[in-house]
Amino acid sequence: MQGTQLFLLFLTLYGASAQVTDWGLDDGLLMEMQEQFGNPLKHALQGISVLMDYRGPAIDAIPQRDKETSNDTLDLSTEESEALRYYLPSAKSNISEKCRHDVLEFQKAFKMQVFTAKKPRLWSILMVDSWGKLPDGYISGNSMPLGMMEECTNINVDDHEVIGEVIPVRFNATFKGQYCFVVHGLPWDEVMAQGQAGIGSPVISGNIYNYMYYGSSYGTCMPDSCTKDDFKVSLEEILPAGHAAKEVDCHTKDEELTWKPKEYLFMGVMGFIAFLVVVAAAVDLTINYMDTQELRKGPLRYLLVFSGYTNMSKIFHINTKPPQGNIGCLHGIRVLTFTWVLICHQYSVMIYAIENGANMANMFDDILAQTILSATPSVDTFFFLSGLLVAYGLMRGKDKMDLYGFFMFYVHRFIRLAPPIAAVGFFSATVARLLFSGPLGDVFSRYLVPICEDNWWYDVLFINNFVNKSCIGQTWYTSVDMQMYVMLPIMFFPLMYYEKIGSIWLSFMTVVSFAIPTMLTHVYQIPLGTFTPQDKAEDYMFFLYNGPWSRLSPYLIGLFTGYIIYKTANKKVTMTMWQVILGWVLSVGIGLLVVYGEYPYNNLNENYTQDRVPTQPISDVYNGFFRGAWGLALMWLLLACHFGYGGLVNSFLAHPSWQPMSRLTYGMFLVSITIQFIIVGSQYTSLYYDHLTVIIFTCGTLFMCGIGSCILSLLVEGPVLGLEKLLFARQDKKKKVIPINEEEEYKTPDILNVEAPAEEK
């Protein structure tokens, strides 16, 4: 244990600084380290190199270490010499002269200092120590040895010493450590064609068992004089036939970030708006201090809409005495639903950086895991509330639905939704890449930035769910919601003006909304559950997930609910105790059945296959009815709370403390996945995947999303809404009404309540 403690203390104190020859570590300590842990280069070469290069079933073909010599020599076998090229460019390859020189210096340093020289070259040990090696738990999914990026990039070599008197050896090494994350293997289309996305034959290296797969990724450390092209040229000379170095991402500690014109444009635009926000806040405070409120009605009103002081105050205002008729439970439902969506996305995003992937089947094998696996009703909650709020708003303003009102009905919606989407897409396509760090940063940014450059306009035009192209992936929801909004005159206007005919028509539409997904499920033979077979995945996403026709039922039930709330305004609705009990029992029972009813068919066994495959009639019924059933459960929840039968449920959901976060949910929804990518993509080590880790990351993400949403609200949402009111407001005095969900004159649009009426001042 003493040797282990000394070694850990040494690594902790070292910090990988420049002149490693100045440390003065005595030979005894170094020898103890060597005897305790062995030669680190030997460990590396007999670990990951075997993993990368071994392709046959014969275990005895793997080079074995010689116990007697491996601790104090650098006598490499032919296989190990070739394996070294997985970590460093070969001096024999077509690489730059400076790179070749520094690689040879490294090899000389390591060979000379095998703990026999008086002054060992510690920097060479640290380079090898930072390499990604065959990790523990490889069979369990720890298949991405990232190495230690910071240990590598902190290396600063300036070694010009001469060692030895009889046969002097001169060192001439000047370079910094450069960390590279390497991905190589078969082309992905060939991997998928072979039906193996990563698992092959088991092999053994020393006492370590592992699995070879058709795409490998790991971290290495090399001199910064070597470019990634130098390394790729050398690496591809020894890769198995058909394999290629897909990506090599290299970074140094003090590298300069190169800004692109589009990034300057983004910062310029947002910087100018931020300047207006600060100036407007100063003017706002000055007006209040000098009590010159009449200035707010002059030209300054166009500046004051940018006031960060006023807009922030409205976001965080808490109304402890909402007016009668207010449905305060919308705040709690909105926040909890968004959190449900966020944690489900967190489970998905973290998969790309975990070290125990084989444990996922065990994580999701109990019925409570259906809270995550069967979480799609969370989005249906959004559609239900959207329908409810739109219906109430239309009923309230139906007397003013003239030609101009009908035109503004769509313009208003677009203005409220599109600018924040455009701003987040602009951010994701530009400066978001500058926020990534760590070994996986380039992997995530290389995915995010190009798709946002090419596809942002699909999100802004609300058509991304049809073309399957998107920058902000979660905005398929806003597209579907907008498409149903466009169809409102057909679905809801008859009920606005002709109650009996409209009720029959909306009821018919609701029945059809149940029938459409039922028929699509049957025609395309789509099974229920999260683990849709690969050949049915595309049909499931297009017909049953992203299509507006499959999401209509909760939206239409929301329209009915909003209509009922409007018609019963200022009326007391009474129910017997048994009616209330029955309503709650049915509502809770339906909700539990929707989320947890899939359990027998929606889990994996140890072989990553479903234990039970549902019959087609079961899939038809579930896929056709579960969204509408969820909407009916929510309908009771909202009406019970509104009519005074919510009890403790309403007290919890309507608590005033939900209000600030509730106003930020739309912005949090838009920035969430980009922030999740940045957080997970900036990890320096693999993550252990369990429920507690996901919850911890979700809490951090929730906090960062709140900050991001505040910035988005101050720079985009608040000013846009203020300008819209100034530019498009009617001249006639509107009648003051009690809002369905009390807000201030300024209303930050959110994913659930973009049409919530605002209290007039």
Side-chain angles (χ1 to χ4, degrees):
M1 287 299 295
Q2 183 181 6
T4 302
Q5 292 169 353
L6 287 172
F7 184 73
L8 294 176
L9 178 62
F10 158 73
L11 291 181
T12 302
L13 295 177
Y14 172 64
S17 61
Q19 282 286 2
V20 293
T21 56
D22 293 339
W23 277 88
L25 297 175
D26 60 72
D27 295 342
L29 176 58
L30 293 175
M31 186 62 71
E32 184 176 355
M33 292 163 51
Q34 176 75 354
E35 291 176 354
Q36 182 75 24
F37 300 101
N39 186 319
L41 182 60
K42 284 281 188 175
H43 283 311
L45 299 183
Q46 295 201 353
I48 194 169
S49 59
V50 175
L51 169 69
M52 303 304 172
D53 198 46
Y54 179 68
R55 289 172 291 154
I59 292 178
D60 56 5
I62 302 174
Q64 303 295 320
R65 292 191 293 179
D66 184 346
K67 263 189 163 182
E68 296 181 359
T69 62
S70 62
N71 283 344
D72 58 5
T73 70
L74 195 62
D75 297 328
L76 303 181
S77 65
T78 302
E79 292 88 348
E80 290 172 328
S81 296
E82 288 297 305
L84 183 61
R85 298 173 66 176
Y86 281 102
Y87 293 103
L88 292 171
S90 171
K92 300 177 182 179
S93 300
N94 183 23
I95 60 178
S96 68
E97 286 302 320
K98 182 65 167 69
C99 176
R100 179 180 291 105
H101 170 81
D102 291 338
V103 168
L104 291 174
E105 287 294 303
F106 162 80
Q107 294 177 347
K108 178 170 59 176
F110 206 97
K111 185 171 183 178
M112 286 297 300
Q113 63 75 38
V114 186
F115 303 113
T116 60
K118 293 182 178 180
K119 291 187 177 180
R121 328 319 292 169
L122 195 54
W123 54 265
S124 62
I125 303 175
L126 292 169
M127 285 183 66
V128 175
D129 188 55
S130 68
W131 290 351
K133 307 169 187 69
L134 189 64
D136 297 334
Y138 191 82
I139 292 177
S140 297
N142 192 10
S143 57
M144 190 168 55
L146 299 177
M148 293 299 293
M149 182 177 184
E150 288 184 307
E151 182 180 28
C152 171
T153 56
N154 280 329
I155 294 173
N156 189 357
V157 180
D158 189 11
D159 193 349
H160 304 281
E161 191 171 0
V162 178
I163 291 181
E165 298 178 359
V166 180
I167 305 177
V169 178
R170 180 182 298 275
F171 289 95
N172 185 24
T174 305
F175 61 83
K176 295 180 181 180
Q178 176 179 228
Y179 176 87
C180 294
F181 182 71
V182 185
V183 180
H184 72 75
L186 292 172
W188 288 117
D189 54 352
E190 187 173 343
V191 173
M192 298 306 295
Q194 294 187 17
Q196 300 188 52
I199 299 179
S201 305
V203 297
I204 183 173
S205 173
N207 294 321
I208 302 175
Y209 289 85
N210 57 76
Y211 279 94
M212 167 64 183
Y213 59 88
Y214 288 91
S216 303
S217 56
Y218 61 97
T220 185
C221 185
M222 65 184 70
D224 65 344
S225 56
C226 299
T227 66
K228 65 179 182 179
D229 292 329
D230 288 333
F231 185 65
K232 289 179 70 172
V233 167
S234 177
L235 181 61
E236 291 181 346
E237 291 175 354
I238 61 168
L239 289 178
H243 286 227
K246 298 177 181 178
E247 300 293 345
V248 177
D249 301 315
C250 298
H251 295 281
T252 58
K253 183 177 182 179
D254 300 321
E255 64 184 358
E256 294 185 4
L257 294 175
T258 303
W259 284 56
K260 301 177 181 179
K262 63 181 182 179
E263 289 156 1
Y264 284 111
L265 177 62
F266 175 84
M267 294 303 296
V269 172
M270 293 302 161
F272 177 71
I273 296 176
F275 173 75
L276 293 179
V277 168
V278 173
V279 171
V283 173
D284 196 359
L285 290 169
T286 301
I287 290 175
N288 289 338
Y289 179 77
M290 299 179 65
D291 195 20
T292 53
Q293 301 301 323
E294 65 276 6
L295 294 177
R296 297 182 182 276
K297 299 179 181 180
L300 281 179
R301 68 184 188 276
Y302 293 99
L303 174 63
L304 291 175
V305 298
F306 290 90
S307 173
Y309 170 75
T310 296
N311 289 339
M312 185 68 79
S313 299
K314 291 174 180 177
I315 291 173
F316 288 98
H317 173 74
I318 294 179
N319 188 347
T320 58
K321 296 180 180 180
Q324 185 179 3
N326 168 264
I327 300 185
C329 66
L330 290 178
H331 288 298
I333 294 174
R334 183 180 304 132
V335 173
L336 294 176
T337 302
F338 169 72
T339 305
W340 189 9
V341 172
L342 185 71
I343 194 171
C344 292
H345 287 169
Q346 194 70 49
Y347 274 96
S348 299
V349 174
M350 287 180 64
I351 288 177
Y352 299 102
I354 62 175
E355 62 182 23
N356 59 324
N359 189 47
M360 284 193 293
N362 296 327
M363 285 181 60
F364 298 108
D365 63 352
D366 59 71
I367 191 169
L368 290 179
Q370 298 303 307
T371 309
I372 304 301
L373 297 178
S374 299
T376 58
S378 61
V379 184
D380 296 308
T381 304
F382 295 170
F383 289 118
F384 170 84
L385 292 177
S386 181
L388 181 155
L389 295 165
V390 169
Y392 182 87
L394 285 172
M395 292 300 299
R396 190 191 63 175
K398 68 177 182 178
D399 295 336
K400 296 183 179 181
M401 185 58 74
D402 53 14
L403 184 61
Y404 178 79
F406 185 76
F407 171 75
M408 288 304 302
F409 175 70
Y410 291 108
V411 172
H412 173 72
R413 183 74 164 192
F414 183 84
I415 290 175
R416 280 182 169 244
L417 291 182
I421 294 175
V424 176
F426 196 7
F427 168 79
S428 300
T430 54
V431 298
R433 71 175 183 89
L434 304 176
L435 301 180
F436 286 94
S437 62
L440 299 177
D442 286 326
V443 176
F444 279 84
S445 64
R446 190 163 45 244
Y447 165 78
L448 178 65
V449 174
I451 64 170
C452 284
E453 289 177 336
D454 298 336
N455 302 327
W456 63 270
W457 61 277
Y458 293 109
D459 300 345
V460 175
L461 294 181
F462 305 103
I463 58 174
N464 55 15
N465 60 316
F466 287 132
V467 298
N468 197 27
K469 294 181 179 180
S470 178
C471 163
I472 312 168
Q474 66 272 31
T475 55
W476 69 267
Y477 160 77
T478 53
S479 296
V480 172
D481 188 74
M482 175 64 83
Q483 290 152 15
M484 291 191 289
Y485 189 87
V486 170
M487 298 299 295
L488 274 172
I490 297 176
M491 296 187 295
F492 190 71
F493 278 24
L495 184 60
M496 288 174 58
Y497 300 105
Y498 307 98
E499 183 173 354
K500 292 184 178 180
I501 296 176
S503 298
I504 296 173
W505 172 247
L506 192 57
S507 300
F508 172 75
M509 291 284 292
T510 304
V511 172
V512 171
S513 71
F514 282 84
I516 290 175
T518 304
M519 291 187 296
L520 289 173
T521 300
H522 184 77
V523 169
Y524 291 95
Q525 296 291 289
I526 303 173
L528 63 82
T530 304
F531 306 104
T532 307
Q534 187 66 32
D535 60 335
K536 298 295 182 181
E538 186 174 347
D539 289 340
Y540 170 76
M541 292 302 296
F542 182 78
F543 291 114
L544 297 183
Y545 197 86
N546 291 339
W549 49 80
S550 65
R551 300 284 183 167
L552 264 177
S553 52
Y555 190 83
L556 294 174
I557 293 170
L559 292 177
F560 259 126
T561 307
Y563 177 79
I564 292 172
I565 290 175
Y566 175 81
K567 296 296 288 186
T568 56
N570 301 319
K571 297 179 182 178
K572 183 173 178 60
V573 177
T574 58
M575 289 185 283
T576 66
M577 180 183 68
W578 293 110
Q579 288 174 325
V580 174
I581 293 175
L582 179 62
W584 278 111
V585 169
L586 289 176
S587 176
V588 173
I590 291 172
L592 293 175
L593 187 63
V594 167
V595 176
Y596 299 102
E598 287 185 285
Y599 174 66
Y601 312 102
N602 198 37
N603 59 84
L604 297 178
N605 56 30
E606 63 275 7
N607 297 319
Y608 286 88
T609 58
Q610 288 175 277
D611 287 322
R612 296 176 61 186
V613 178
T615 63
Q616 195 56 48
I618 292 177
S619 295
D620 295 345
V621 172
Y622 184 85
N623 287 343
F625 285 79
F626 83 92
R627 301 192 192 281
W630 183 258
L632 291 173
L634 290 173
M635 184 179 188
W636 169 261
L637 172 64
L638 265 294
L639 293 179
C641 290
H642 180 60
F643 295 143
Y645 298 99
L648 292 176
V649 174
N650 185 60
S651 298
F652 173 71
L653 294 175
H655 195 277
S657 61
W658 296 111
Q659 293 174 17
M661 187 173 174
S662 172
R663 300 184 187 109
L664 293 170
T665 48
Y666 181 54
M668 295 174 72
F669 166 76
L670 292 179
V671 303
S672 59
I673 289 187
T674 299
I675 289 177
Q676 286 173 317
F677 276 4
I678 292 172
I679 292 175
V680 175
S682 297
Q683 300 302 306
Y684 281 79
T685 59
S686 299
L687 302 170
Y688 189 83
Y689 195 59
D690 63 359
H691 297 303
L692 180 59
T693 302
V694 175
I695 291 172
I696 292 171
F697 269 80
T698 301
C699 292
T701 302
L702 197 63
F703 175 75
M704 296 304 297
C705 287
I707 294 176
S709 182
C710 283
I711 295 173
L712 185 65
S713 296
L714 293 178
L715 298 184
V716 181
E717 293 178 279
V720 167
L721 292 175
L723 289 173
E724 180 206 14
K725 182 176 181 180
L726 291 176
L727 297 175
F728 294 103
R730 290 175 181 260
Q731 297 300 317
D732 55 313
K733 184 75 174 179
K734 294 183 180 179
K735 182 180 178 181
K736 182 176 180 179
V737 298
I738 295 177
I740 189 173
N741 190 3
E742 190 276 332
E743 298 290 349
E744 295 74 25
E745 188 171 283
Y746 163 80
K747 174 68 180 71
T748 302
D750 59 67
I751 191 170
L752 306 178
N753 197 14
V754 292
E755 290 301 326
E759 183 178 10
E760 298 294 331
K761 297 289 185 179

